[in-house]
Amino acid sequence: MNQIEDMQTFVRIVEAGSITKAAEQLNTVKSAVSRRLSQLEKRLGVTLLTRSTRAHTLTEQGKSYYQHSLRIIEEVADIEAGLTQQNYALSGSIRIAAPLVFGLEHLSQALLAFNERHPEIVFDVDFDDRKVDLVEGGFDLAIRIAKLEDSNLIARQISSTRMVLCASPAYLKTQGTPTTPQQLSTRHKKLQYYRSLENWHFVEDNGQSVNIKIPTALTSNNGSFLLECAIKGTGLLYSPDFICHQAIKDGKLTIILKKYLANPTIPIYVLYPQNRHQSHKIRHLIDFLIEYYGDTPSWLID
Amino acid sequence: MNQIEDMQTFVRIVEAGSITKAAEQLNTVKSAVSRRLSQLEKRLGVTLLTRSTRAHTLTEQGKSYYQHSLRIIEEVADIEAGLTQQNYALSGSIRIAAPLVFGLEHLSQALLAFNERHPEIVFDVDFDDRKVDLVEGGFDLAIRIAKLEDSNLIARQISSTRMVLCASPAYLKTQGTPTTPQQLSTRHKKLQYYRSLENWHFVEDNGQSVNIKIPTALTSNNGSFLLECAIKGTGLLYSPDFICHQAIKDGKLTIILKKYLANPTIPIYVLYPQNRHQSHKIRHLIDFLIEYYGDTPSWLID
DNA sequence: GTTATTGTTCAAAAAATAAGAACTATAAGT
DNA sequence: ACTTATAGTTCTTATTTTTTGAACAATAAC
């Protein structure tokens, strides 16, 4: 039972004026069209077309069915075409999950810039450092700043960040500025981001790698707050450059032990579900983000 | 490509919340539903549902398609149900082809009586003694007063009429009242209906059948006019009783040679096209007509 | 770590549909 | 009135589409 094809066939018969002509126009044989019509009438339990060898007349029901069919066929076509257009249109909403600080400080700027070009798009950004389930949360994409784990999501790297170790000039003046990793062990405290590792990983001049653990002055799940604390001299901050770059440029924080840090570079990815047909606007936004941050993002130090 | 079934399947998936449940509700297996959904997405070139092992989320296009689908499914069901209702409803129009005199004098009364019971029905009656093509003319039914010829139409007898030979008392006084068919041959003239036979057919007392031909006083295609002429004494009238019954009851015409007429009874049929599904109102009207005229129609003489 | 549930994929079976030929009916041409 | 041509139906056979059922992969839930 294919109601739409029945409608299309019936409309063709009515407009062509004969089953034979309708069959030609539908690129099929008259027997198929004849059978379709009689099956349709049987299903509806109604005579649509009174037919003799060479003349046709629409019954009242036939007229009604014809008119409704015209409308339905058009509506269905519009709906299906509309979906594709929607797919290509740079409009509608994009729902994004982003880490707190990166989202507020950097992603927001990029999104605003994108929005200037494509004002029809409405962003719905959820700032949260916790790992969210894209599918369950209904997100179109998520920003993740970390090495990738296995998942059924697609990832594209949009930029990268570099970890730096820094402290306020005042703090360094009081506690001394360490020049080797080993010197951290004495008289230093760290500002601890709740998700990151307790130990800091260094590579010494001789190529030996070393794990250093120093006491924690304060733990928080908010990178900005830790930054404030570092500026106030509460302790050492081990932080991605996109968080502390401005404070460093302003001289409020000083980088230390730069050359000893192991694996300081962390990729920034955009993740999205494995959709067979990716919406055009999503692809467009990802391309935009890659271009926006580029090889020299604003948080780059030197 | 069955768009409506695709829509129904998709709606079921969305509302059931999972492909497996949707399959159960649709009395099929999950593989069929899964395949239908992926084929649909492929055809539309759009992801409707972002799905992982246990969670589903509608994409924007999915939401749009879901809502449109709901509406279209309902509309199509309404249209199809509407046709059946239309079929059973005693409303709408009935187009009838009827012979002139019978139509004006007798059918019209029956139709008005029917209309009193079913005022929603609008009659469209075409009065014409010529044989019309029901299909070409778009007629629902036709009245035919004659022995049936072969045709692809369905016939039901609704009543019958009897042919009588009559003349005005004044005419018979002048020309003499014939008591045997043979006596017609002298001094008589006939009023000729254009479609009827030139010869009159009789059965004599001895069982011998005989064809009599007498001169024509006047020919017309209008039975009422011939009746008027007969009353005025222009000639003999060979006529169905539904035309002359009142004049005979009023004594304006006298029946002659009644017992000699061969095959005086002519059936009155209602004809309609061979529709696989006859509309309820048409069947109803035919039943009404048979009941209305019954075995003793108003034109019956004794 | 194990089990249970969900969705996908695949080959085979079943159902629906189309094709092609034969047939009926009738309009048009002669 | 006869022949020819055209339109529609019906039937059997092909073809296409859809469904099934099983095996599999992925991942929540226990």
Side-chain angles (χ1 to χ4, degrees):
Chain A
M1 179 173 84
N2 191 329
Q3 286 131 314
I4 296 294
E5 276 186 16
D6 284 347
M7 286 179 165
Q8 287 167 332
T9 305
F10 184 66
V11 163
R12 207 85 309 281
I13 293 171
V14 172
E15 293 182 352
S18 85
I19 289 178
T20 304
K21 277 185 201 142
E24 280 167 22
Q25 293 176 16
L26 292 163
N27 288 313
T28 183
V29 288
K30 57 184 181 170
S31 61
V33 175
S34 169
R35 191 174 174 285
R36 250 217 136 88
L37 176 57
S38 50
Q39 291 280 87
L40 172 62
E41 288 185 329
K42 186 179 166 193
R43 178 163 68 75
L44 298 177
V46 146
T47 301
L48 296 172
L49 208 56
T50 300
R51 40 200 186 282
S52 71
T53 310
R54 219 157 291 211
H56 282 171
T57 320
L58 281 172
T59 63
E60 257 187 276
Q61 284 99 335
K63 275 179 208 154
S64 165
Y65 188 69
Y66 169 71
Q67 279 159 356
H68 285 300
S69 293
L70 275 182
R71 187 172 50 77
I72 290 290
I73 290 165
E74 194 178 350
E75 277 186 42
V76 170
D78 282 355
I79 289 164
E80 301 199 341
L83 290 180
T84 316
Q85 275 176 17
Q86 232 174 303
N87 190 26
Y88 286 100
L90 293 170
S91 63
S93 72
I94 300 182
R95 190 163 149 74
I96 304 176
L100 196 62
V101 178
F102 181 82
L104 290 171
E105 296 253 346
H106 302 288
L107 182 67
S108 56
Q109 290 175 28
L111 297 185
L112 290 173
F114 187 83
N115 227 343
E116 254 179 47
R117 288 202 211 164
H118 308 292
E120 297 295 309
I121 288 186
V122 179
F123 287 107
D124 174 359
V125 192
D126 192 294
F127 299 101
D128 196 330
D129 280 353
R130 279 169 296 189
K131 207 161 68 183
V132 294
D133 186 326
L134 287 209
V135 172
E136 206 161 358
F139 292 102
D140 294 300
L141 43 85
I143 305 294
R144 201 144 297 171
I145 302 166
K147 303 266 160 55
L148 280 187
E149 315 149 27
D150 253 356
S151 85
N152 59 342
L153 302 170
I154 309 286
R156 271 184 76 185
Q157 188 173 343
I158 54 171
S159 189
S160 59
T161 182
R162 199 185 149 88
M163 297 304 289
V164 295
L165 198 58
C166 55
S168 72
Y171 173 91
L172 293 175
K173 199 170 183 182
T174 321
Q175 309 296 330
T177 301
T179 52
T180 66
Q182 306 296 355
Q183 292 175 18
L184 288 171
S185 309
T186 52
R187 313 209 322 167
H188 287 289
K189 285 187 173 172
K190 68 173 192 290
L191 296 164
Q192 176 70 29
Y193 180 62
Y194 82 118
R195 283 180 63 202
S196 64
L197 296 172
E198 287 276 325
N199 295 355
W200 292 346
H201 199 60
F202 296 95
V203 179
E204 293 185 302
D205 287 332
N206 54 14
Q208 197 88 42
S209 84
V210 61
N211 265 311
I212 306 280
K213 183 173 182 177
I214 64 169
T216 299
L218 193 146
T219 299
S220 173
N221 66 346
N222 188 305
S224 294
F225 177 62
L226 294 175
L227 176 66
E228 291 306 312
C229 294
I231 291 170
K232 282 182 183 146
T234 314
L236 295 172
L237 179 66
Y238 180 63
S239 152
D241 54 3
F242 68 77
I243 290 183
C244 56
H245 69 112
Q246 196 56 52
I248 289 164
K249 280 167 190 157
D250 291 346
K252 292 177 183 166
L253 289 178
T254 305
I255 293 178
I256 58 170
L257 300 175
K258 184 174 181 180
K259 63 174 183 173
Y260 296 99
L261 274 179
N263 312 316
T265 303
I266 299 175
I268 302 179
Y269 290 104
V270 56
L271 299 183
Y272 49 89
Q274 261 184 331
N275 286 346
R276 260 153 288 254
H277 308 283
Q278 196 183 18
S279 134
H280 189 236
K281 66 186 172 199
I282 304 289
R283 211 172 321 149
H284 203 76
L285 173 61
I286 294 171
D287 290 343
F288 176 84
L289 290 179
I290 292 171
E291 167 134 9
Y292 184 81
Y293 297 121
D295 290 330
T296 52
S298 60
W299 55 80
L300 203 68
I301 304 164
D302 300 327
Chain B
M1 179 173 85
N2 190 330
Q3 287 132 313
I4 297 292
E5 275 185 17
D6 284 348
M7 287 180 165
Q8 286 167 334
T9 304
F10 184 67
V11 164
R12 207 89 305 279
I13 294 170
V14 171
E15 294 182 352
S18 85
I19 288 177
T20 304
K21 278 184 202 144
E24 281 167 22
Q25 293 175 16
L26 292 164
N27 288 314
T28 182
V29 288
K30 56 185 181 173
S31 61
V33 175
S34 169
R35 192 172 174 286
R36 249 218 136 87
L37 176 57
S38 51
Q39 291 281 87
L40 172 62
E41 288 185 327
K42 187 179 166 194
R43 177 163 68 76
L44 298 177
V46 145
T47 301
L48 297 172
L49 207 57
T50 302
R51 41 198 186 280
S52 71
T53 311
R54 218 157 293 211
H56 282 171
T57 319
L58 280 172
T59 62
E60 256 188 278
Q61 285 98 336
K63 274 180 209 153
S64 164
Y65 187 69
Y66 170 71
Q67 279 157 355
H68 285 300
S69 293
L70 276 183
R71 188 172 49 77
I72 290 290
I73 290 166
E74 194 178 352
E75 277 186 43
V76 170
D78 282 354
I79 289 164
E80 300 198 342
L83 290 181
T84 314
Q85 277 175 16
Q86 236 175 301
N87 190 29
Y88 284 101
L90 292 169
S91 62
S93 71
I94 300 181
R95 191 163 147 74
I96 305 176
L100 194 62
V101 178
F102 181 82
L104 290 172
E105 296 256 320
H106 302 287
L107 182 68
S108 56
Q109 290 174 28
L111 297 185
L112 291 173
F114 187 83
N115 227 343
E116 254 174 50
R117 287 201 213 166
H118 308 292
E120 297 293 307
I121 289 186
V122 178
F123 286 109
D124 174 357
V125 192
D126 192 292
F127 298 102
D128 194 327
D129 281 352
R130 278 169 296 188
K131 207 160 67 183
V132 295
D133 185 322
L134 288 208
V135 172
E136 205 160 8
F139 292 103
D140 294 305
L141 42 88
I143 305 294
R144 201 144 296 169
I145 302 166
K147 301 268 159 54
L148 282 186
E149 316 149 25
D150 255 1
S151 87
N152 58 342
L153 301 170
I154 309 286
R156 271 185 75 186
Q157 188 173 342
I158 55 171
S159 190
S160 58
T161 183
R162 200 186 149 87
M163 296 303 289
V164 294
L165 197 58
C166 56
S168 72
Y171 172 90
L172 293 174
K173 201 170 182 180
T174 320
Q175 309 296 328
T177 303
T179 51
T180 66
Q182 306 298 355
Q183 293 175 18
L184 289 169
S185 309
T186 51
R187 316 212 315 174
H188 287 289
K189 285 187 171 171
K190 69 173 192 287
L191 297 163
Q192 175 72 29
Y193 180 64
Y194 80 121
R195 282 179 64 202
S196 63
L197 296 172
E198 287 274 314
N199 294 357
W200 292 345
H201 199 57
F202 296 95
V203 178
E204 291 185 297
D205 287 330
N206 55 15
Q208 196 90 43
S209 85
V210 61
N211 264 311
I212 307 280
K213 183 173 184 177
I214 64 169
T216 298
L218 193 147
T219 299
S220 172
N221 67 345
N222 187 304
S224 294
F225 177 63
L226 295 176
L227 177 67
E228 292 304 313
C229 295
I231 291 170
K232 282 182 183 147
T234 313
L236 295 172
L237 180 65
Y238 181 65
S239 151
D241 54 4
F242 68 78
I243 290 184
C244 58
H245 68 111
Q246 196 57 52
I248 289 164
K249 279 168 190 157
D250 293 346
K252 293 175 183 166
L253 290 177
T254 305
I255 295 178
I256 57 170
L257 300 173
K258 185 174 180 184
K259 65 173 182 175
Y260 296 100
L261 275 179
N263 313 316
T265 303
I266 299 174
I268 302 179
Y269 290 105
V270 55
L271 299 183
Y272 49 88
Q274 259 186 333
N275 286 346
R276 259 154 287 254
H277 308 283
Q278 194 184 16
S279 132
H280 189 235
K281 67 186 171 200
I282 304 289
R283 212 171 320 148
H284 203 75
L285 174 61
I286 294 171
D287 291 341
F288 176 83
L289 290 178
I290 291 170
E291 167 130 11
Y292 183 85
Y293 297 122
D295 292 331
T296 52
S298 60
W299 55 82
L300 204 68
I301 305 166
D302 301 332

